[in-house]
Amino acid sequence: SPERDGPAERDSLTASAGAELSAKLCRRQDINEGAAQPRRAAVFNPYTEFKEFSRRQIKDMERMFRLYDSGRDGYIDLMELKLMMEKLGAPQTHLGLKNMIKEVDEDFDGKLSFREFLLIFHKAAAGELEEDSGLLTLAKLSEIDVSIEGVKGAKNFFEAKAQALSSASKFEAEIRAEQDERKREEEERKHRRAAFRELKSAFTQ
Protein backbone atom coordinates (compact mmCIF):
# COMPACT_ATOMS: atom_id res chain seq x y z
CA SER A 1 0.00 0.00 0.00
CA PRO A 2 1.19 3.60 -0.53
CA GLU A 3 1.34 3.99 3.27
CA ARG A 4 4.51 1.87 3.32
CA ASP A 5 6.48 4.56 1.38
CA GLY A 6 6.06 6.89 4.31
CA PRO A 7 3.49 9.57 3.44
CA ALA A 8 5.28 12.17 5.56
CA GLU A 9 8.48 11.64 3.62
CA ARG A 10 6.60 11.83 0.32
CA ASP A 11 4.83 15.01 1.37
CA SER A 12 8.07 16.70 2.38
CA LEU A 13 9.66 15.76 -0.97
CA THR A 14 6.63 17.10 -2.82
CA ALA A 15 6.72 20.26 -0.71
CA SER A 16 10.42 20.89 -1.35
CA ALA A 17 9.97 20.22 -5.08
CA GLY A 18 7.00 22.58 -5.05
CA ALA A 19 8.97 25.24 -3.19
CA GLU A 20 11.84 24.96 -5.65
CA LEU A 21 9.48 25.24 -8.61
CA SER A 22 7.66 28.23 -7.13
CA ALA A 23 11.01 29.92 -6.39
CA LYS A 24 12.01 29.38 -10.03
CA LEU A 25 8.68 30.73 -11.27
CA CYS A 26 8.93 33.78 -8.99
CA ARG A 27 12.44 34.44 -10.25
CA ARG A 28 11.32 34.05 -13.88
CA GLN A 29 8.54 36.57 -13.18
CA ASP A 30 11.02 38.99 -11.59
CA ILE A 31 13.33 38.65 -14.61
CA ASN A 32 10.41 39.28 -16.97
CA GLU A 33 9.39 42.34 -14.97
CA GLY A 34 12.97 43.57 -14.84
CA ALA A 35 13.19 43.24 -11.05
CA ALA A 36 16.02 40.69 -11.14
CA GLN A 37 19.03 40.11 -13.33
CA PRO A 38 19.26 36.63 -14.87
CA ARG A 39 22.05 34.69 -13.20
CA ARG A 40 25.15 34.30 -15.31
CA ALA A 41 26.95 31.00 -15.58
CA ALA A 42 29.37 30.58 -12.67
CA VAL A 43 32.43 31.39 -14.77
CA PHE A 44 32.27 31.70 -18.53
CA ASN A 45 35.64 31.34 -20.20
CA PRO A 46 35.32 31.87 -23.98
CA TYR A 47 38.83 30.55 -24.59
CA THR A 48 38.07 27.13 -23.11
CA GLU A 49 34.46 26.88 -24.29
CA PHE A 50 35.07 28.02 -27.87
CA LYS A 51 38.37 26.27 -28.51
CA GLU A 52 37.90 26.44 -32.29
CA PHE A 53 38.56 30.20 -32.20
CA SER A 54 41.94 31.78 -31.66
CA ARG A 55 42.47 34.38 -28.93
CA ARG A 56 42.60 37.06 -31.61
CA GLN A 57 39.27 35.99 -33.10
CA ILE A 58 37.62 36.06 -29.66
CA LYS A 59 39.14 39.49 -28.95
CA ASP A 60 37.74 40.75 -32.30
CA MET A 61 34.30 39.41 -31.39
CA GLU A 62 34.55 40.96 -27.94
CA ARG A 63 35.43 44.35 -29.48
CA MET A 64 32.42 44.10 -31.78
CA PHE A 65 30.17 43.06 -28.89
CA ARG A 66 31.33 46.00 -26.74
CA LEU A 67 30.93 48.40 -29.67
CA TYR A 68 27.23 47.59 -30.01
CA ASP A 69 26.47 47.09 -26.31
CA SER A 70 25.69 50.80 -26.02
CA GLY A 71 23.86 50.30 -22.70
CA ARG A 72 27.13 48.85 -21.30
CA ASP A 73 25.16 46.18 -19.42
CA GLY A 74 26.95 43.15 -20.89
CA TYR A 75 24.06 42.34 -23.23
CA ILE A 76 22.96 43.24 -26.75
CA ASP A 77 19.22 43.82 -26.59
CA LEU A 78 16.71 44.11 -29.43
CA MET A 79 17.32 47.82 -30.07
CA GLU A 80 21.11 47.42 -29.98
CA LEU A 81 20.84 44.49 -32.41
CA LYS A 82 18.59 46.63 -34.65
CA LEU A 83 21.27 49.34 -34.72
CA MET A 84 24.02 46.76 -35.34
CA MET A 85 22.24 45.29 -38.36
CA GLU A 86 21.56 48.78 -39.75
CA LYS A 87 25.24 49.72 -39.34
CA LEU A 88 26.25 46.47 -41.09
CA GLY A 89 23.99 47.45 -43.99
CA ALA A 90 21.41 44.67 -43.48
CA PRO A 91 18.44 46.17 -41.59
CA GLN A 92 15.95 43.62 -40.21
CA THR A 93 12.26 43.75 -39.38
CA HIS A 94 11.20 43.67 -35.73
CA LEU A 95 10.18 40.03 -36.16
CA GLY A 96 13.46 39.25 -37.94
CA LEU A 97 15.43 40.69 -35.01
CA LYS A 98 13.38 38.68 -32.50
CA ASN A 99 14.02 35.51 -34.49
CA MET A 100 17.77 36.25 -34.61
CA ILE A 101 17.88 36.50 -30.81
CA LYS A 102 15.72 33.39 -30.42
CA GLU A 103 18.19 31.28 -32.46
CA VAL A 104 20.92 31.61 -29.83
CA ASP A 105 19.07 32.84 -26.72
CA GLU A 106 19.79 29.90 -24.41
CA ASP A 107 18.47 31.50 -21.23
CA PHE A 108 15.33 32.97 -22.90
CA ASP A 109 15.96 36.49 -21.58
CA GLY A 110 15.31 38.08 -24.99
CA LYS A 111 18.83 39.52 -25.39
CA LEU A 112 22.31 38.33 -26.27
CA SER A 113 25.01 37.73 -23.68
CA PHE A 114 28.63 37.63 -24.93
CA ARG A 115 28.48 33.81 -24.82
CA GLU A 116 25.34 33.79 -26.98
CA PHE A 117 27.02 36.29 -29.32
CA LEU A 118 29.95 33.88 -29.75
CA LEU A 119 27.43 31.12 -30.51
CA ILE A 120 26.44 33.07 -33.65
CA PHE A 121 29.96 32.71 -35.06
CA HIS A 122 30.28 29.14 -33.80
CA LYS A 123 27.07 28.15 -35.62
CA ALA A 124 27.97 30.13 -38.74
CA ALA A 125 31.41 28.55 -39.02
CA ALA A 126 29.95 25.08 -38.36
CA GLY A 127 27.37 25.59 -41.14
CA GLU A 128 24.48 25.30 -38.67
CA LEU A 129 22.60 28.41 -39.83
CA GLU A 130 20.06 28.59 -42.65
CA GLU A 131 21.05 30.58 -45.76
CA ASP A 132 18.36 33.21 -45.04
CA SER A 133 19.19 33.47 -41.34
CA GLY A 134 19.76 37.00 -40.06
CA LEU A 135 22.54 35.60 -37.86
CA LEU A 136 24.35 34.24 -40.94
CA THR A 137 24.10 37.72 -42.48
CA LEU A 138 25.55 39.20 -39.28
CA ALA A 139 28.45 36.72 -39.34
CA LYS A 140 29.10 37.37 -43.05
CA LEU A 141 29.13 41.15 -42.69
CA SER A 142 31.10 41.29 -39.44
CA GLU A 143 34.41 40.75 -41.31
CA ILE A 144 35.63 38.73 -38.33
CA ASP A 145 37.84 35.90 -39.53
CA VAL A 146 36.05 32.85 -38.14
CA SER A 147 36.46 30.37 -40.96
CA ILE A 148 37.23 26.88 -39.71
CA GLU A 149 36.84 25.35 -43.16
CA GLY A 150 40.39 26.29 -44.16
CA VAL A 151 39.43 29.22 -46.37
CA LYS A 152 40.89 32.53 -45.23
CA GLY A 153 38.40 34.78 -43.45
CA ALA A 154 34.70 34.27 -42.85
CA LYS A 155 33.93 36.87 -45.50
CA ASN A 156 35.94 35.01 -48.15
CA PHE A 157 34.46 31.73 -47.01
CA PHE A 158 30.86 32.86 -47.32
CA GLU A 159 31.53 34.65 -50.61
CA ALA A 160 33.24 31.54 -51.98
CA LYS A 161 30.23 29.49 -50.89
CA ALA A 162 27.84 31.85 -52.65
CA GLN A 163 29.94 31.78 -55.81
CA ALA A 164 30.06 27.99 -55.71
CA LEU A 165 26.30 27.96 -56.18
CA SER A 166 26.47 30.20 -59.25
CA SER A 167 29.83 29.14 -60.65
CA ALA A 168 31.53 25.96 -59.48
CA SER A 169 34.56 26.57 -61.69
CA LYS A 170 35.17 30.04 -60.24
CA PHE A 171 34.96 28.53 -56.76
CA GLU A 172 37.48 25.83 -57.66
CA ALA A 173 39.78 28.44 -59.19
CA GLU A 174 39.65 30.47 -55.95
CA ILE A 175 40.40 27.39 -53.86
CA ARG A 176 43.32 26.54 -56.16
CA ALA A 177 44.61 30.10 -55.95
CA GLU A 178 44.48 29.92 -52.15
CA GLN A 179 46.25 26.56 -52.13
CA ASP A 180 48.96 27.98 -54.43
CA GLU A 181 49.26 30.99 -52.12
CA ARG A 182 49.67 28.69 -49.11
CA LYS A 183 52.31 26.62 -50.97
CA ARG A 184 54.18 29.78 -51.93
CA GLU A 185 54.12 31.01 -48.31
CA GLU A 186 55.38 27.61 -47.13
CA GLU A 187 58.22 27.70 -49.71
CA GLU A 188 59.16 31.21 -48.56
CA ARG A 189 59.20 30.04 -44.94
CA LYS A 190 61.47 27.11 -45.89
CA HIS A 191 63.86 29.45 -47.74
CA ARG A 192 63.92 31.84 -44.77
CA ARG A 193 64.61 28.98 -42.36
CA ALA A 194 67.41 27.65 -44.60
CA ALA A 195 68.94 31.12 -44.97
CA PHE A 196 68.75 31.59 -41.21
CA ARG A 197 70.46 28.22 -40.61
CA GLU A 198 73.26 29.15 -43.03
CA LEU A 199 73.72 32.47 -41.29
CA LYS A 200 73.75 30.79 -37.89
CA SER A 201 76.29 28.18 -38.94
CA ALA A 202 78.52 30.94 -40.36
CA PHE A 203 78.52 32.57 -36.94
CA THR A 204 79.09 29.38 -34.96
CA GLN A 205 82.09 28.15 -36.98
Side-chain angles (χ1 to χ4, degrees):
S1 93
E3 259 53 57
R4 274 204 311 252
D5 303 358
E9 204 179 312
R10 257 205 330 282
D11 288 350
S12 76
L13 278 173
T14 309
S16 71
E20 197 181 331
L21 181 63
S22 82
K24 275 183 182 165
L25 289 171
C26 287
R27 183 165 164 70
R28 169 58 55 211
Q29 200 173 347
D30 285 349
I31 288 169
N32 290 344
E33 290 167 5
Q37 282 298 310
R39 268 190 215 95
R40 299 193 187 180
V43 178
F44 163 55
N45 183 338
Y47 303 107
T48 54
E49 192 169 337
F50 293 89
K51 288 192 179 79
E52 70 266 38
F53 299 137
S54 68
R55 290 186 81 80
R56 183 170 164 236
Q57 287 168 333
I58 289 174
K59 290 277 180 226
D60 286 346
M61 291 180 230
E62 192 174 11
R63 262 195 297 277
M64 187 180 183
F65 183 83
R66 284 177 194 276
L67 178 68
Y68 290 104
D69 173 20
S70 49
R72 300 274 175 274
D73 62 350
Y75 293 93
I76 287 177
D77 61 26
L78 196 77
M79 291 314 288
E80 289 165 344
L81 184 61
K82 180 179 190 287
L83 187 69
M84 182 193 287
M85 294 310 284
E86 283 167 5
K87 285 262 170 74
L88 291 172
Q92 304 286 312
T93 63
H94 187 75
L95 185 65
L97 292 163
K98 282 186 120 165
N99 286 337
M100 284 172 72
I101 290 176
K102 208 185 288 178
E103 268 188 273
V104 285
D105 186 13
E106 293 195 326
D107 55 4
F108 309 110
D109 61 357
K111 52 191 177 180
L112 302 175
S113 64
F114 180 51
R115 185 182 175 281
E116 289 162 345
F117 187 69
L118 288 179
L119 270 179
I120 298 171
F121 295 95
H122 166 81
K123 287 183 174 227
E128 290 172 13
L129 297 171
E130 297 293 324
E131 275 303 313
D132 59 353
S133 159
L135 294 185
L136 188 61
T137 307
L138 188 160
K140 282 184 200 178
L141 296 174
S142 71
E143 294 192 28
I144 291 171
D145 174 4
V146 292
S147 169
I148 302 162
E149 265 80 350
V151 180
K152 287 193 214 102
K155 206 161 182 245
N156 295 5
F157 169 66
F158 291 114
E159 281 169 5
K161 254 196 145 170
Q163 283 158 358
L165 298 172
S166 58
S167 158
S169 58
K170 192 174 177 195
F171 177 67
E172 282 163 21
E174 281 191 2
I175 294 291
R176 266 200 301 278
E178 288 194 359
Q179 285 169 343
D180 292 344
E181 175 72 6
R182 274 201 292 273
K183 269 188 208 139
R184 194 181 58 74
E185 283 174 4
E186 189 51 44
E187 287 299 318
E188 273 180 23
R189 270 200 295 277
K190 273 186 196 152
H191 287 310
R192 278 200 300 274
R193 281 199 294 268
F196 178 72
R197 274 199 299 273
E198 274 176 40
L199 195 64
K200 207 172 150 194
S201 66
F203 275 107
T204 51
Q205 273 169 6

